[in-house]
Amino acid sequence: MAGQLEGKVAFITGAARGQGRAHAVRLAEEGADIIAIDLCKQIETVGYPMSTPEDLAETVAQVEALDRRIHAVEADVRDRDAMQAAFDAGVAELGDVQIVSANAGIAPLSMNPVPEEWQDVIDVNLTGVYHTVEVVKPSMIAHGKGGAIVLTSSTAGIAGIGGNTPGGLGYTAAKHGVVGLMRSYANQLAEHSIRVNTVHPTGVNTPMVVNDVMQEFLESDPSLSNAMANALPVPMIEAVDISNAIVWLASDAARYVTGVTLPVDAGFLNKR
Amino acid sequence: MAGRVEGKVAFVTGAARGQGRSHALRLAEEGADIIAVDVCGPIPNLQYPHATPEDLEETVRQVEALDRRIVAREADVRDAAAMKAAVDEGVAELGHLDIVVGNAGICIVAPWDEVTEEIWDDTVDTNLKGVWNTVRLTAPHLIAAGGGSIILTSSAAGLKGLPFITPYVASKFGVTGLTKAFAHELAMHNIRVNSLHPTGVATDMGQMGAEYPRMLEANPRLAGMLTNSLPIEVTEPRDQSNAVLFLASDESRYVTAMAMTVDAGNTQY
């Protein structure tokens, strides 16, 4: 049986591990080839260990084990020229991109906040998403086959959670900003049959969330941990739950779905 | 390969034709058995033909052609006793209940000053009370099954005040709210509740769109409200069913209280 994304090429940022790797593997299972981008370096204001070149190599191995092709590049979403070069090289190898997952993000939340967190999280989580779409847009319009762009926001992209630190405020502001980008792009790109939607995960079992620094931060403020309680009886969800939503949004089954903020949040936002 | 809702049982209202039949078939294609209800009879003031017993028989035939089982009953969603009998008999025959699709609805187009009390009552009773009946009579079976997924058909008009259908807009906004409230109360039982918001769909009910030009002539500034941003005029029932299938399946196991628009961008434009 043909996969739901057979013959398509997907451009995924933050693909070395966590949600991004799950998206690459899940989309590949459904028949897509993958262009995978990740920084694979530490950013100084981020308290938990970020991805490594070995992580990205593991994503490559897992996609290739599914008999799909993957073009992986270490690139920074903050660097538009590097992103353009990575994208162009991927297209040259794999063909026209019809699916985009703008997933790369950081969460500089810690007990020892520094002012620089604000700019870093805005640069990665908002400007990085803008760069991702801008880099893809001209060729997606030109190839004329339409496309599906999925931007990863957060429950913090709809509700004012995340705490009072520069990094927490920046995270919430950036994730809200992603919704504004999505709505604008959805209107502007509709005439080209390009759909643009956001996904809004609650806490996901990935290295960005499950680490000592983040756990210490969440436990420091009871109002935060209360704020993190889901309605459905599940404390934390898995990366593949987000991937399944992205597969559906990217597939032709959702060909008339655009401008949607899709919560994969176990009822978290509805409680507020 | 196992279907995406293999072994599940789905209750679908308004299943004789149109979106309801399409939902029943799409779920059956992916392995579900079906309990189908439809009023199969006239409702006053409709500007399009009503569903018939023959339509419901055709749904039965098409589900059975997929080698799935179906229990079909003629029942009015406004009639709680008839609905309860249909649900309970269906569950007794098919074993359990996992998926509920509250799809039955009517739409009568009229400018605000031509809406009669009869049109208001029929629309709100069918589209809102009917959905409330659907949830309250099926939820006990979902709780007994250990969880489930409920999809309630609202509309783009359940998020946006589209003109010339005031009772419909009121009823569909009601469904949007009902979805969010039920999602809260039922989450503890692992039951998810989401609403579906179609733009225009190519069905018999969709024919009521033919009434619009006369009203827009009198109030042309409102025409833009009906525009889809994607370059299409109307969606197919299967586009709506694909969203129902996603929300019904375990692929969306942590998606609840969502307003899922399958509206070609209409509500964002």
Side-chain angles (χ1 to χ4, degrees):
Chain A
M1 193 177 123
Q4 296 179 63
L5 307 174
E6 206 70 45
K8 297 190 175 175
V9 179
F11 181 61
I12 303 174
T13 67
R17 63 177 195 183
Q19 289 184 45
R21 181 192 285 168
H23 303 340
V25 169
R26 187 74 191 85
L27 270 62
E29 282 174 1
E30 294 293 339
D33 290 330
I34 308 294
I35 303 171
I37 308 291
D38 204 293
L39 177 59
C40 301
K41 285 192 186 74
Q42 195 65 31
I43 293 174
E44 210 178 315
T45 55
V46 174
Y48 57 89
M50 289 177 57
S51 66
T52 64
E54 292 70 34
D55 290 326
L56 188 57
E58 175 61 22
T59 297
V60 170
Q62 291 191 22
V63 168
E64 287 179 345
L66 295 164
D67 263 345
R68 302 313 316 169
R69 295 185 297 165
I70 178 165
H71 180 93
V73 182
E74 291 176 31
D76 189 337
V77 291
R78 297 171 294 183
D79 180 345
R80 185 162 166 176
D81 293 340
M83 287 284 284
Q84 189 70 57
F87 176 78
D88 292 345
V91 171
E93 186 180 340
L94 301 177
D96 289 334
V97 164
Q98 286 175 271
I99 299 168
V100 175
S101 163
N103 163 79
I106 58 171
L109 308 174
S110 82
M111 300 296 291
N112 309 299
V114 294
E116 293 76 19
E117 294 167 0
W118 165 270
Q119 197 60 50
D120 283 347
V121 72
I122 294 290
D123 287 349
V124 174
N125 292 14
L126 183 55
T127 308
V129 170
Y130 164 71
H131 285 163
T132 304
V133 179
E134 287 298 317
V135 156
V136 173
K137 200 170 73 174
S139 87
M140 200 176 253
I141 291 171
H143 70 53
K145 291 177 255 182
I149 297 172
V150 184
L151 310 181
T152 298
S153 178
S154 166
T155 49
I158 291 178
I161 54 173
N164 275 329
T165 62
L169 290 166
Y171 186 87
T172 302
K175 292 298 190 181
H176 273 71
V178 167
V179 175
L181 277 180
M182 178 276 283
R183 291 194 172 125
S184 299
Y185 282 131
N187 282 336
Q188 290 159 24
L189 298 175
E191 63 169 314
H192 305 290
S193 294
I194 296 169
R195 302 179 292 103
V196 191
N197 297 286
T198 47
V199 289
H200 299 263
T202 184
V204 184
N205 180 15
T206 67
M208 189 182 94
V209 176
V210 183
N211 61 71
D212 294 343
V213 177
M214 180 69 89
Q215 292 311 310
E216 186 192 19
F217 179 78
L218 293 176
E219 283 160 17
S220 69
D221 181 350
S223 71
L224 270 179
S225 35
N226 285 339
M228 294 297 161
N230 296 324
L232 291 172
V234 55
M236 186 172 281
I237 68 175
E238 298 299 324
V240 71
D241 294 308
I242 317 304
S243 309
N244 283 332
I246 291 176
V247 166
W248 186 74
L249 286 171
S251 76
D252 292 341
R255 64 180 176 162
Y256 299 138
V257 178
T258 192
V260 162
T261 53
L262 199 164
V264 185
D265 73 343
F268 173 87
L269 285 167
N270 190 47
K271 284 174 58 185
R272 302 182 67 82
Chain B
M1 194 175 121
R4 291 157 68 187
V5 286
E6 195 76 40
K8 299 194 180 197
V9 178
F11 178 74
V12 183
T13 68
R17 61 177 191 176
Q19 289 184 53
R21 179 192 285 169
S22 172
H23 300 337
L25 292 174
R26 190 75 190 89
L27 293 166
E29 283 172 7
E30 295 290 342
D33 291 331
I34 306 295
I35 305 167
V37 301
D38 203 294
V39 68
C40 299
I43 291 178
N45 304 303
L46 282 194
Q47 295 146 328
Y48 51 91
H50 63 79
T52 64
E54 292 71 33
D55 290 325
L56 187 57
E57 282 166 29
E58 176 61 18
T59 298
V60 169
R61 196 191 62 74
Q62 293 192 23
V63 168
E64 288 178 344
L66 294 165
D67 261 344
R68 302 313 314 170
R69 294 183 297 166
I70 178 165
V71 174
R73 294 285 184 273
E74 289 177 29
D76 188 331
V77 291
R78 296 171 292 186
D79 179 346
M83 283 283 282
K84 184 169 185 339
V87 174
D88 293 350
E89 287 167 30
V91 173
E93 187 166 337
L94 299 175
H96 50 99
L97 186 65
D98 312 282
I99 299 162
V100 173
V101 185
N103 163 78
I106 61 169
C107 186
I108 295 162
V109 182
W112 67 272
D113 51 353
E114 292 176 22
V115 173
T116 62
E117 199 160 330
E118 183 178 57
I119 291 174
W120 173 271
D121 287 343
D122 285 344
T123 304
V124 173
D125 281 357
T126 304
N127 295 4
L128 185 53
K129 187 178 179 187
V131 165
W132 176 66
N133 277 337
T134 302
V135 176
R136 73 189 176 106
L137 297 171
T138 56
H141 294 289
L142 298 180
I143 293 170
S149 176
I150 298 174
I151 299 106
L152 304 179
T153 300
S154 175
S155 167
L159 298 169
K160 177 175 176 180
L162 291 174
F164 314 127
I165 46 174
T166 43
Y168 186 82
V169 166
S171 69
K172 293 297 190 179
F173 266 77
V175 171
T176 308
L178 202 57
T179 300
K180 293 178 188 303
F182 271 125
H184 273 142
E185 289 199 49
L186 296 176
M188 65 181 288
H189 302 294
N190 250 315
I191 295 170
R192 303 182 291 109
V193 191
N194 295 286
S195 52
L196 178 71
H197 301 263
T199 184
V201 185
T203 63
D204 287 308
M205 191 179 104
Q207 293 175 24
M208 53 82 183
E211 305 290 323
Y212 270 106
R214 169 174 74 91
M215 295 159 215
L216 286 173
E217 207 168 305
N219 200 339
R221 289 167 59 90
L222 299 179
M225 292 190 74
L226 305 169
T227 307
N228 295 328
S229 59
L230 288 174
I232 56 143
E233 297 308 313
V234 73
T235 65
E236 297 299 322
R238 195 174 173 87
D239 295 308
Q240 307 301 330
S241 303
N242 282 330
V244 167
L245 173 62
F246 172 71
L247 291 171
S249 77
D250 292 340
E251 292 155 34
S252 64
R253 64 180 175 162
Y254 298 136
V255 178
T256 191
M258 185 198 181
M260 172 66 88
T261 48
V262 183
D263 71 345
N266 178 280
T267 54
Q268 295 292 328
Y269 184 58

